Amino acid sequence: MIAETRYGFRLGGPELLAGTLVIAAAIVALRVPSAFEPAWRCAVFLGLGPTIGALSIACLHSMTGGKWGDPLRPALMAGCWLLPFMVALGLPLVVLRATEATTAATRFNAPGIVAVRAVILGLALVALARTARREWPAAGHRATMRWFGPLGLIAVFFINHVLLDDWLAPSDGAPSGTAFPLIWLLGQAVSALALAVIAALRLGFDPRRPLASERTLGNDVGTLLFAAVMTWCYVAFAHFLIIWSGNLPREVAWYVVRIRSAWGAVPLVLLVLNLAAPMLVLLSRRAKDSRRALAVIAIVLAAGQVLHTTWIILPPEPGVTMLVAIGLTCGGGILGLRAGMRLAREEGGAP
């Protein structure tokens, strides 16, 4: 069943399913109020991940150029367009934080200051996303403002660092440090590239399209995806190894609690999704020229990043919080992916 609303929005089965999931999650959250904040925070950061990642890839392409950006541009620009909405979804978290009782040891970490900081950083992300859309308006175009790419990446990294310290590090002692923002930024890039590849394939991207040299466009896109996920794996494992070998009680305890909880199998699942699978597939030139292989590995990598984000944010024994997070994430994800795909079609000029 599909109905056309007054403003031209198509209301069909996926939208009705998304609305049902969100309403069900809201009902459960009303009965268990303590489940709302972590579940909403998880859903917000799951939405911010690929949209900030799209902004980062746009900054990268503005510096390097390259044909690989042509098939991915529509989806990446759709991600930049959706970024302000993802930022707006974080406002309930800001309000909740601003009304908390002051328990911070310093004024810098006081709830009100953290809330103000979040608003400023959110506005900065929105400004960067608008600049990216203005600087990358057409396929084959390279940014005319040379400063946008390098300064944009620096700004995104700084914003990620502060946001993670404010909103993820306090979460039951989540591992912090200088490497954690880089892990998060690389994970955002992986999820953005994976979703952009899926959208590009749906819009008719042919990985076998030849380039000037003896390689294909699929080879460039697949190699970029492989490089991003391998860098993410390396930094994530190095971060874990340093913490574990350093035996820092607060941060080691975070891993120990999760390994011994319901999340115990997550590291092994991530090892398969974000290391074994891409190595088996993306090392093959033939696989990178295959629409089906690229689509499967992109879906696997996107799922791996969703699992990693959920693992970090939700408590060791999520219980009802997990149900609320699933409802909010699945409902919001359906709406976001549908809107993103429609925007990507418009960006790419597809009917």
Side-chain angles (χ1 to χ4, degrees):
M1 182 182 70
I2 297 178
E4 194 82 16
T5 68
R6 179 179 177 182
Y7 300 101
F9 178 72
R10 301 186 71 191
L11 182 63
E15 286 78 16
L16 294 176
L17 175 62
T20 302
L21 290 172
V22 171
I23 292 172
I27 293 173
V28 174
L30 287 173
R31 295 180 64 87
V32 187
S34 61
F36 173 77
E37 195 276 341
W40 188 266
R41 182 152 47 96
C42 181
V44 168
F45 275 89
L46 282 172
L48 281 173
T51 53
I52 297 179
L55 173 59
S56 303
I57 301 301
C59 293
L60 177 66
H61 190 270
S62 73
M63 292 190 296
T64 64
K67 291 292 185 181
W68 59 266
D70 293 348
L72 304 183
R73 185 195 66 84
L76 295 177
M77 289 298 96
C80 290
W81 193 92
L82 289 171
L83 179 54
F85 296 94
M86 298 299 106
V87 170
L89 288 177
L91 288 177
L93 297 176
V94 174
V95 173
L96 288 175
R97 179 63 63 87
T99 56
E100 285 181 1
T102 302
T103 58
T106 63
R107 289 185 178 181
F108 182 80
N109 293 322
I113 300 299
V114 171
V116 171
R117 219 163 34 229
V119 172
I120 294 173
L121 295 177
L123 292 175
L125 283 175
V126 171
L128 286 170
R130 289 177 60 87
T131 305
R133 286 180 55 80
R134 186 171 64 249
E135 283 295 291
W136 204 11
H141 178 80
R142 188 169 176 177
T144 55
M145 296 193 307
R146 298 298 180 91
W147 59 266
F148 169 67
L151 290 187
L153 276 178
I154 293 172
V156 169
F157 183 82
F158 172 79
I159 291 170
N160 269 282
H161 196 119
V162 179
L163 283 177
L164 295 186
D165 281 344
D166 286 345
W167 298 95
L168 294 190
S171 176
D172 69 337
S176 56
T178 55
F180 190 52
L182 180 58
I183 296 170
W184 192 264
L185 187 63
L186 290 169
Q188 292 169 345
V190 171
S191 59
L193 283 172
L195 292 176
V197 168
I198 295 170
L201 291 170
R202 292 203 61 181
L203 293 176
F205 165 49
D206 184 7
R208 295 170 297 179
R209 175 184 160 192
L211 297 176
S213 58
E214 293 183 1
R215 69 181 195 276
T216 61
L217 190 54
N219 183 264
D220 279 11
V221 171
T223 301
L224 179 66
L225 188 59
F226 179 78
V229 72
M230 288 297 104
T231 307
W232 180 88
C233 289
Y234 171 77
V235 177
F237 178 73
H239 182 61
F240 164 76
L241 185 63
I242 291 170
I243 289 176
W244 195 265
S245 60
N247 199 24
L248 302 176
R250 174 178 177 270
E251 298 186 354
V252 169
W254 186 88
Y255 284 105
V256 171
V257 168
R258 271 166 169 68
I259 291 173
R260 294 178 178 175
S261 69
W263 299 104
V266 169
L268 291 177
V269 175
L270 289 175
L271 188 67
V272 173
L273 296 181
N274 279 1
L275 180 62
M279 284 193 67
L280 290 174
V281 176
L282 294 178
L283 282 176
S284 167
R285 180 185 291 262
R286 190 173 184 180
K288 287 184 283 192
D289 288 342
S290 167
R291 291 173 56 89
R292 180 173 296 179
L294 272 181
V296 170
I297 202 64
I299 292 171
V300 167
L301 290 176
Q305 290 303 315
V306 169
L307 179 61
H308 180 254
T309 301
T310 306
W311 182 56
I312 289 174
I313 296 177
L314 293 188
E317 299 296 339
V320 177
T321 305
M322 175 65 82
L323 295 177
V324 178
I326 289 174
L328 293 175
T329 301
C330 292
I334 291 172
L335 294 176
L337 290 174
R338 294 273 289 181
M341 196 62 212
R342 185 170 183 179
L343 288 166
R345 288 195 182 96
E346 295 176 358
E347 292 282 350

PDB file of all heavy atoms in Angstrom, residues 317-349:
ATOM      1  N   GLU A 317      24.832  -5.259  29.998  1.00  0.00           N
ATOM      2  CA  GLU A 317      23.616  -6.089  30.015  1.00  0.00           C
ATOM      3  C   GLU A 317      22.458  -5.216  29.546  1.00  0.00           C
ATOM      4  O   GLU A 317      21.735  -4.624  30.346  1.00  0.00           O
ATOM      5  CB  GLU A 317      23.357  -6.628  31.429  1.00  0.00           C
ATOM      6  CG  GLU A 317      24.461  -7.515  31.973  1.00  0.00           C
ATOM      7  CD  GLU A 317      24.644  -8.797  31.173  1.00  0.00           C
ATOM      8  OE1 GLU A 317      23.702  -9.192  30.458  1.00  0.00           O
ATOM      9  OE2 GLU A 317      25.734  -9.394  31.264  1.00  0.00           O
ATOM     10  N   PRO A 318      22.270  -5.097  28.222  1.00  0.00           N
ATOM     11  CA  PRO A 318      21.328  -4.082  27.709  1.00  0.00           C
ATOM     12  C   PRO A 318      19.880  -4.330  28.070  1.00  0.00           C
ATOM     13  O   PRO A 318      19.149  -3.402  28.385  1.00  0.00           O
ATOM     14  CB  PRO A 318      21.544  -4.147  26.196  1.00  0.00           C
ATOM     15  CG  PRO A 318      22.152  -5.476  25.941  1.00  0.00           C
ATOM     16  CD  PRO A 318      22.939  -5.837  27.163  1.00  0.00           C
ATOM     17  N   GLY A 319      19.416  -5.588  28.042  1.00  0.00           N
ATOM     18  CA  GLY A 319      18.044  -5.882  28.406  1.00  0.00           C
ATOM     19  C   GLY A 319      17.019  -5.087  27.613  1.00  0.00           C
ATOM     20  O   GLY A 319      17.015  -5.094  26.383  1.00  0.00           O
ATOM     21  N   VAL A 320      16.140  -4.353  28.327  1.00  0.00           N
ATOM     22  CA  VAL A 320      15.090  -3.562  27.687  1.00  0.00           C
ATOM     23  C   VAL A 320      15.696  -2.460  26.824  1.00  0.00           C
ATOM     24  O   VAL A 320      15.142  -2.105  25.776  1.00  0.00           O
ATOM     25  CB  VAL A 320      14.153  -2.962  28.756  1.00  0.00           C
ATOM     26  CG1 VAL A 320      13.103  -2.067  28.109  1.00  0.00           C
ATOM     27  CG2 VAL A 320      13.466  -4.073  29.534  1.00  0.00           C
ATOM     28  N   THR A 321      16.861  -1.938  27.226  1.00  0.00           N
ATOM     29  CA  THR A 321      17.510  -0.882  26.445  1.00  0.00           C
ATOM     30  C   THR A 321      17.783  -1.350  25.027  1.00  0.00           C
ATOM     31  O   THR A 321      17.660  -0.587  24.070  1.00  0.00           O
ATOM     32  CB  THR A 321      18.822  -0.454  27.116  1.00  0.00           C
ATOM     33  OG1 THR A 321      18.549  -0.063  28.465  1.00  0.00           O
ATOM     34  CG2 THR A 321      19.456   0.708  26.378  1.00  0.00           C
ATOM     35  N   MET A 322      18.165  -2.616  24.871  1.00  0.00           N
ATOM     36  CA  MET A 322      18.422  -3.162  23.541  1.00  0.00           C
ATOM     37  C   MET A 322      17.159  -3.165  22.693  1.00  0.00           C
ATOM     38  O   MET A 322      17.191  -2.819  21.504  1.00  0.00           O
ATOM     39  CB  MET A 322      18.962  -4.582  23.667  1.00  0.00           C
ATOM     40  CG  MET A 322      19.157  -5.289  22.329  1.00  0.00           C
ATOM     41  SD  MET A 322      20.428  -4.518  21.315  1.00  0.00           S
ATOM     42  CE  MET A 322      21.895  -5.252  22.030  1.00  0.00           C
ATOM     43  N   LEU A 323      16.013  -3.512  23.292  1.00  0.00           N
ATOM     44  CA  LEU A 323      14.755  -3.518  22.541  1.00  0.00           C
ATOM     45  C   LEU A 323      14.399  -2.107  22.065  1.00  0.00           C
ATOM     46  O   LEU A 323      13.995  -1.914  20.915  1.00  0.00           O
ATOM     47  CB  LEU A 323      13.626  -4.076  23.409  1.00  0.00           C
ATOM     48  CG  LEU A 323      13.751  -5.547  23.828  1.00  0.00           C
ATOM     49  CD1 LEU A 323      12.590  -5.938  24.735  1.00  0.00           C
ATOM     50  CD2 LEU A 323      13.781  -6.456  22.604  1.00  0.00           C
ATOM     51  N   VAL A 324      14.562  -1.129  22.953  1.00  0.00           N
ATOM     52  CA  VAL A 324      14.263   0.255  22.570  1.00  0.00           C
ATOM     53  C   VAL A 324      15.225   0.715  21.485  1.00  0.00           C
ATOM     54  O   VAL A 324      14.828   1.355  20.500  1.00  0.00           O
ATOM     55  CB  VAL A 324      14.347   1.185  23.801  1.00  0.00           C
ATOM     56  CG1 VAL A 324      14.071   2.633  23.387  1.00  0.00           C
ATOM     57  CG2 VAL A 324      13.356   0.748  24.863  1.00  0.00           C
ATOM     58  N   ALA A 325      16.508   0.378  21.635  1.00  0.00           N
ATOM     59  CA  ALA A 325      17.503   0.779  20.633  1.00  0.00           C
ATOM     60  C   ALA A 325      17.220   0.143  19.282  1.00  0.00           C
ATOM     61  O   ALA A 325      17.343   0.794  18.231  1.00  0.00           O
ATOM     62  CB  ALA A 325      18.909   0.398  21.109  1.00  0.00           C
ATOM     63  N   ILE A 326      16.821  -1.115  19.279  1.00  0.00           N
ATOM     64  CA  ILE A 326      16.506  -1.796  18.007  1.00  0.00           C
ATOM     65  C   ILE A 326      15.323  -1.126  17.330  1.00  0.00           C
ATOM     66  O   ILE A 326      15.322  -0.882  16.123  1.00  0.00           O
ATOM     67  CB  ILE A 326      16.229  -3.290  18.257  1.00  0.00           C
ATOM     68  CG1 ILE A 326      17.532  -4.009  18.633  1.00  0.00           C
ATOM     69  CG2 ILE A 326      15.605  -3.931  17.026  1.00  0.00           C
ATOM     70  CD1 ILE A 326      17.339  -5.460  19.028  1.00  0.00           C
ATOM     71  N   GLY A 327      14.277  -0.826  18.120  1.00  0.00           N
ATOM     72  CA  GLY A 327      13.103  -0.166  17.529  1.00  0.00           C
ATOM     73  C   GLY A 327      13.439   1.188  16.950  1.00  0.00           C
ATOM     74  O   GLY A 327      13.063   1.504  15.813  1.00  0.00           O
ATOM     75  N   LEU A 328      14.156   2.012  17.720  1.00  0.00           N
ATOM     76  CA  LEU A 328      14.508   3.352  17.246  1.00  0.00           C
ATOM     77  C   LEU A 328      15.454   3.285  16.059  1.00  0.00           C
ATOM     78  O   LEU A 328      15.299   4.017  15.067  1.00  0.00           O
ATOM     79  CB  LEU A 328      15.159   4.150  18.376  1.00  0.00           C
ATOM     80  CG  LEU A 328      14.273   4.512  19.564  1.00  0.00           C
ATOM     81  CD1 LEU A 328      15.090   5.182  20.651  1.00  0.00           C
ATOM     82  CD2 LEU A 328      13.126   5.430  19.120  1.00  0.00           C
ATOM     83  N   THR A 329      16.454   2.400  16.129  1.00  0.00           N
ATOM     84  CA  THR A 329      17.451   2.318  15.063  1.00  0.00           C
ATOM     85  C   THR A 329      16.847   1.771  13.779  1.00  0.00           C
ATOM     86  O   THR A 329      17.081   2.313  12.688  1.00  0.00           O
ATOM     87  CB  THR A 329      18.627   1.429  15.504  1.00  0.00           C
ATOM     88  OG1 THR A 329      19.211   1.977  16.682  1.00  0.00           O
ATOM     89  CG2 THR A 329      19.670   1.342  14.418  1.00  0.00           C
ATOM     90  N   CYS A 330      16.078   0.699  13.887  1.00  0.00           N
ATOM     91  CA  CYS A 330      15.474   0.113  12.682  1.00  0.00           C
ATOM     92  C   CYS A 330      14.450   1.063  12.063  1.00  0.00           C
ATOM     93  O   CYS A 330      14.425   1.253  10.849  1.00  0.00           O
ATOM     94  CB  CYS A 330      14.826  -1.231  13.012  1.00  0.00           C
ATOM     95  SG  CYS A 330      16.008  -2.525  13.433  1.00  0.00           S
ATOM     96  N   GLY A 331      13.620   1.668  12.915  1.00  0.00           N
ATOM     97  CA  GLY A 331      12.633   2.605  12.382  1.00  0.00           C
ATOM     98  C   GLY A 331      13.284   3.810  11.750  1.00  0.00           C
ATOM     99  O   GLY A 331      12.985   4.185  10.607  1.00  0.00           O
ATOM    100  N   GLY A 332      14.211   4.446  12.478  1.00  0.00           N
ATOM    101  CA  GLY A 332      14.909   5.592  11.913  1.00  0.00           C
ATOM    102  C   GLY A 332      15.776   5.216  10.732  1.00  0.00           C
ATOM    103  O   GLY A 332      15.915   5.990   9.783  1.00  0.00           O
ATOM    104  N   GLY A 333      16.382   4.020  10.795  1.00  0.00           N
ATOM    105  CA  GLY A 333      17.233   3.583   9.683  1.00  0.00           C
ATOM    106  C   GLY A 333      16.451   3.397   8.396  1.00  0.00           C
ATOM    107  O   GLY A 333      16.931   3.760   7.317  1.00  0.00           O
ATOM    108  N   ILE A 334      15.257   2.838   8.499  1.00  0.00           N
ATOM    109  CA  ILE A 334      14.426   2.660   7.301  1.00  0.00           C
ATOM    110  C   ILE A 334      14.102   4.009   6.679  1.00  0.00           C
ATOM    111  O   ILE A 334      14.249   4.212   5.461  1.00  0.00           O
ATOM    112  CB  ILE A 334      13.132   1.891   7.652  1.00  0.00           C
ATOM    113  CG1 ILE A 334      13.460   0.440   8.006  1.00  0.00           C
ATOM    114  CG2 ILE A 334      12.144   1.937   6.490  1.00  0.00           C
ATOM    115  CD1 ILE A 334      12.280  -0.336   8.559  1.00  0.00           C
ATOM    116  N   LEU A 335      13.683   4.955   7.516  1.00  0.00           N
ATOM    117  CA  LEU A 335      13.346   6.287   6.994  1.00  0.00           C
ATOM    118  C   LEU A 335      14.581   6.979   6.419  1.00  0.00           C
ATOM    119  O   LEU A 335      14.529   7.590   5.346  1.00  0.00           O
ATOM    120  CB  LEU A 335      12.739   7.139   8.106  1.00  0.00           C
ATOM    121  CG  LEU A 335      11.377   6.688   8.645  1.00  0.00           C
ATOM    122  CD1 LEU A 335      10.950   7.574   9.809  1.00  0.00           C
ATOM    123  CD2 LEU A 335      10.327   6.711   7.540  1.00  0.00           C
ATOM    124  N   GLY A 336      15.711   6.872   7.128  1.00  0.00           N
ATOM    125  CA  GLY A 336      16.922   7.521   6.656  1.00  0.00           C
ATOM    126  C   GLY A 336      17.429   6.940   5.350  1.00  0.00           C
ATOM    127  O   GLY A 336      17.827   7.681   4.441  1.00  0.00           O
ATOM    128  N   LEU A 337      17.413   5.607   5.242  1.00  0.00           N
ATOM    129  CA  LEU A 337      17.887   4.979   4.011  1.00  0.00           C
ATOM    130  C   LEU A 337      16.959   5.286   2.845  1.00  0.00           C
ATOM    131  O   LEU A 337      17.419   5.508   1.709  1.00  0.00           O
ATOM    132  CB  LEU A 337      18.001   3.468   4.219  1.00  0.00           C
ATOM    133  CG  LEU A 337      19.126   3.016   5.163  1.00  0.00           C
ATOM    134  CD1 LEU A 337      19.041   1.511   5.402  1.00  0.00           C
ATOM    135  CD2 LEU A 337      20.488   3.385   4.592  1.00  0.00           C
ATOM    136  N   ARG A 338      15.666   5.300   3.103  1.00  0.00           N
ATOM    137  CA  ARG A 338      14.717   5.634   2.024  1.00  0.00           C
ATOM    138  C   ARG A 338      14.910   7.071   1.558  1.00  0.00           C
ATOM    139  O   ARG A 338      14.962   7.349   0.365  1.00  0.00           O
ATOM    140  CB  ARG A 338      13.283   5.442   2.530  1.00  0.00           C
ATOM    141  CG  ARG A 338      12.915   4.004   2.852  1.00  0.00           C
ATOM    142  CD  ARG A 338      12.418   3.254   1.662  1.00  0.00           C
ATOM    143  NE  ARG A 338      11.083   3.722   1.263  1.00  0.00           N
ATOM    144  CZ  ARG A 338      10.397   3.215   0.243  1.00  0.00           C
ATOM    145  NH1 ARG A 338      10.921   2.252  -0.479  1.00  0.00           N
ATOM    146  NH2 ARG A 338       9.196   3.681  -0.057  1.00  0.00           N
ATOM    147  N   ALA A 339      15.047   7.993   2.517  1.00  0.00           N
ATOM    148  CA  ALA A 339      15.262   9.388   2.150  1.00  0.00           C
ATOM    149  C   ALA A 339      16.606   9.560   1.456  1.00  0.00           C
ATOM    150  O   ALA A 339      16.721  10.285   0.455  1.00  0.00           O
ATOM    151  CB  ALA A 339      15.188  10.269   3.396  1.00  0.00           C
ATOM    152  N   GLY A 340      17.647   8.887   1.972  1.00  0.00           N
ATOM    153  CA  GLY A 340      18.962   8.992   1.360  1.00  0.00           C
ATOM    154  C   GLY A 340      18.978   8.456  -0.065  1.00  0.00           C
ATOM    155  O   GLY A 340      19.609   9.056  -0.950  1.00  0.00           O
ATOM    156  N   MET A 341      18.299   7.354  -0.301  1.00  0.00           N
ATOM    157  CA  MET A 341      18.264   6.780  -1.649  1.00  0.00           C
ATOM    158  C   MET A 341      17.512   7.687  -2.610  1.00  0.00           C
ATOM    159  O   MET A 341      17.914   7.869  -3.770  1.00  0.00           O
ATOM    160  CB  MET A 341      17.592   5.398  -1.603  1.00  0.00           C
ATOM    161  CG  MET A 341      17.836   4.556  -2.832  1.00  0.00           C
ATOM    162  SD  MET A 341      19.582   4.197  -3.048  1.00  0.00           S
ATOM    163  CE  MET A 341      19.666   4.128  -4.838  1.00  0.00           C
ATOM    164  N   ARG A 342      16.444   8.286  -2.129  1.00  0.00           N
ATOM    165  CA  ARG A 342      15.699   9.203  -2.989  1.00  0.00           C
ATOM    166  C   ARG A 342      16.533  10.444  -3.314  1.00  0.00           C
ATOM    167  O   ARG A 342      16.556  10.913  -4.460  1.00  0.00           O
ATOM    168  CB  ARG A 342      14.404   9.617  -2.279  1.00  0.00           C
ATOM    169  CG  ARG A 342      13.486  10.475  -3.132  1.00  0.00           C
ATOM    170  CD  ARG A 342      12.141  10.656  -2.479  1.00  0.00           C
ATOM    171  NE  ARG A 342      11.244  11.419  -3.308  1.00  0.00           N
ATOM    172  CZ  ARG A 342       9.994  11.713  -2.976  1.00  0.00           C
ATOM    173  NH1 ARG A 342       9.502  11.289  -1.826  1.00  0.00           N
ATOM    174  NH2 ARG A 342       9.231  12.413  -3.775  1.00  0.00           N
ATOM    175  N   LEU A 343      17.257  10.960  -2.323  1.00  0.00           N
ATOM    176  CA  LEU A 343      18.125  12.108  -2.565  1.00  0.00           C
ATOM    177  C   LEU A 343      19.271  11.737  -3.507  1.00  0.00           C
ATOM    178  O   LEU A 343      19.675  12.531  -4.355  1.00  0.00           O
ATOM    179  CB  LEU A 343      18.691  12.614  -1.241  1.00  0.00           C
ATOM    180  CG  LEU A 343      17.706  13.335  -0.323  1.00  0.00           C
ATOM    181  CD1 LEU A 343      18.301  13.464   1.068  1.00  0.00           C
ATOM    182  CD2 LEU A 343      17.352  14.690  -0.879  1.00  0.00           C
ATOM    183  N   ALA A 344      19.805  10.522  -3.352  1.00  0.00           N
ATOM    184  CA  ALA A 344      20.896  10.086  -4.238  1.00  0.00           C
ATOM    185  C   ALA A 344      20.417   9.993  -5.685  1.00  0.00           C
ATOM    186  O   ALA A 344      21.159  10.346  -6.612  1.00  0.00           O
ATOM    187  CB  ALA A 344      21.430   8.732  -3.768  1.00  0.00           C
ATOM    188  N   ARG A 345      19.199   9.541  -5.881  1.00  0.00           N
ATOM    189  CA  ARG A 345      18.643   9.493  -7.250  1.00  0.00           C
ATOM    190  C   ARG A 345      18.556  10.904  -7.833  1.00  0.00           C
ATOM    191  O   ARG A 345      18.869  11.123  -8.999  1.00  0.00           O
ATOM    192  CB  ARG A 345      17.274   8.840  -7.248  1.00  0.00           C
ATOM    193  CG  ARG A 345      17.287   7.342  -7.023  1.00  0.00           C
ATOM    194  CD  ARG A 345      15.951   6.727  -7.399  1.00  0.00           C
ATOM    195  NE  ARG A 345      15.954   5.299  -7.148  1.00  0.00           N
ATOM    196  CZ  ARG A 345      15.486   4.730  -6.047  1.00  0.00           C
ATOM    197  NH1 ARG A 345      14.979   5.481  -5.075  1.00  0.00           N
ATOM    198  NH2 ARG A 345      15.534   3.421  -5.884  1.00  0.00           N
ATOM    199  N   GLU A 346      18.104  11.835  -7.007  1.00  0.00           N
ATOM    200  CA  GLU A 346      18.005  13.224  -7.491  1.00  0.00           C
ATOM    201  C   GLU A 346      19.384  13.808  -7.765  1.00  0.00           C
ATOM    202  O   GLU A 346      19.582  14.507  -8.754  1.00  0.00           O
ATOM    203  CB  GLU A 346      17.257  14.068  -6.456  1.00  0.00           C
ATOM    204  CG  GLU A 346      15.804  13.664  -6.271  1.00  0.00           C
ATOM    205  CD  GLU A 346      15.132  14.456  -5.156  1.00  0.00           C
ATOM    206  OE1 GLU A 346      15.822  15.271  -4.518  1.00  0.00           O
ATOM    207  OE2 GLU A 346      13.926  14.245  -4.917  1.00  0.00           O
ATOM    208  N   GLU A 347      20.359  13.527  -6.895  1.00  0.00           N
ATOM    209  CA  GLU A 347      21.712  14.029  -7.095  1.00  0.00           C
ATOM    210  C   GLU A 347      22.330  13.443  -8.355  1.00  0.00           C
ATOM    211  O   GLU A 347      23.067  14.120  -9.075  1.00  0.00           O
ATOM    212  CB  GLU A 347      22.589  13.688  -5.881  1.00  0.00           C
ATOM    213  CG  GLU A 347      22.231  14.417  -4.609  1.00  0.00           C
ATOM    214  CD  GLU A 347      22.745  15.836  -4.593  1.00  0.00           C
ATOM    215  OE1 GLU A 347      23.547  16.198  -5.485  1.00  0.00           O
ATOM    216  OE2 GLU A 347      22.336  16.601  -3.698  1.00  0.00           O
ATOM    217  N   GLY A 348      22.041  12.170  -8.603  1.00  0.00           N
ATOM    218  CA  GLY A 348      22.622  11.517  -9.772  1.00  0.00           C
ATOM    219  C   GLY A 348      21.828  11.710 -11.039  1.00  0.00           C
ATOM    220  O   GLY A 348      22.234  11.226 -12.103  1.00  0.00           O
ATOM    221  N   GLY A 349      20.682  12.370 -10.941  1.00  0.00           N
ATOM    222  CA  GLY A 349      19.870  12.607 -12.114  1.00  0.00           C
ATOM    223  C   GLY A 349      19.102  11.387 -12.580  1.00  0.00           C
ATOM    224  O   GLY A 349      18.611  11.331 -13.704  1.00  0.00           O
TER     225      GLY A 349
END
